[in-house]
Amino acid sequence: MTGLVIVGAGGFARETAQAVVDAGEFDLLGHLDDNAELHGTEVDGVPVLGGCDLVHDLPGALAVICVGNPRDYAARARLVRRLGLPAERYATVVHPTAAVSATSRIGPGSVLLAHCVLTAAVRVGAHVAVMPHVVLTHDDVVEDHATLTSGVRLGGGVRLERGAYVGSGALVREGTTIGAWSQIGMGSSVLGDVPPGEVWVGSPARRLREAGTPALDELATPTVGGPLR
């Protein structure tokens, strides 16, 4: 069984660890985290082996990066860039209760937690976080580093551009585009396109303000490759 390290030791990382254990596909070696106070301790019974850069000393292990929060949802992209690992070093973690259709595709480093549904021809990029009870319907496209928190529902043909963050329980109308590094507030209903780098909230969702500095900095950072098809 291939070894796996989870980069991060916070809430998302702990949830991913439980998904790894439940799926039984990988040998969970432990967490890596830059918080030195955690080194040598255990989180939910899983050891914290050292800092994030220790992944380079474990060439036989796969990795998955599980960091970020609503205040800094660009953290995952920065860490991917910092570590500079090739795509083949990243695992894809899918909880055994997730329903992923045969026509859907999931990129390296992405995590799908319990009871997610991908119905038909869904495309999920690399390093995407999909929390419990998210429903992605036909022809949805979720680009790299996006985050869909618990209970999000996307109508058919929705596109989440790179790094977009969708808050818990949000609904997105079919055919809508959520711009890169934008953020949708929890419980919002999105009925039209959202420009890049903005925060939208409410039902129907409206512009609240610009996204925070970490997201705007990431929006201005050149990316490798074109948009996900």
Side-chain angles (χ1 to χ4, degrees):
M1 189 179 294
T2 304
L4 174 71
V5 291
I6 297 175
V7 182
F12 176 34
R14 294 166 56 206
E15 292 174 325
T16 300
Q18 295 303 307
V20 170
V21 171
D22 290 347
E25 183 179 355
F26 302 106
D27 177 17
L28 181 56
L29 303 179
H31 293 278
L32 304 179
D33 197 281
D34 286 337
N35 182 355
E37 294 182 358
L38 295 177
H39 299 172
T41 68
E42 292 187 348
V43 177
D44 297 338
V46 180
V48 181
L49 305 175
C52 298
D53 292 310
L54 185 62
V55 70
H56 298 294
D57 297 329
L58 301 167
L62 297 178
V64 63
I65 296 180
C66 299
V67 299
N69 58 65
R71 292 166 297 283
D72 184 8
Y73 50 95
R76 196 159 59 252
R78 293 197 307 273
L79 193 49
V80 168
R81 193 162 52 244
R82 169 185 145 190
L83 295 179
L85 297 175
E88 57 267 24
R89 284 292 309 277
Y90 286 107
T92 299
V93 175
V94 179
H95 193 277
T97 62
V100 180
S101 68
T103 56
S104 295
R105 299 289 180 267
I106 306 167
S110 290
V111 175
L112 274 64
L113 294 180
H115 305 291
C116 296
V117 178
L118 280 62
T119 63
V122 175
R123 297 290 180 267
V124 174
H127 309 291
V128 173
V130 185
M131 303 302 181
H133 294 280
V134 168
V135 177
L136 307 180
T137 55
H138 68 88
D139 304 304
D140 288 339
V141 175
V142 181
E143 296 186 9
D144 298 352
H145 306 295
T147 301
L148 299 100
T149 59
S150 300
V152 167
R153 304 288 192 267
L154 304 187
V158 168
R159 176 177 287 271
L160 297 189
E161 294 185 343
R162 180 180 177 88
Y165 182 103
V166 185
S168 298
L171 307 175
V172 182
R173 187 176 186 174
E174 67 274 4
T176 299
T177 296
I178 307 297
W181 299 105
S182 58
Q183 185 175 26
I184 306 302
M186 64 174 63
S188 297
S189 298
V190 181
L191 303 181
D193 292 349
V194 173
E198 295 187 359
V199 177
W200 282 46
V201 300
S203 183
R206 295 180 173 85
R207 185 186 190 276
L208 177 65
R209 57 174 172 80
E210 275 194 336
T213 299
L216 293 178
D217 287 348
E218 201 63 39
L219 183 61
T221 300
T223 58
V224 177
L228 186 66
R229 300 295 181 187

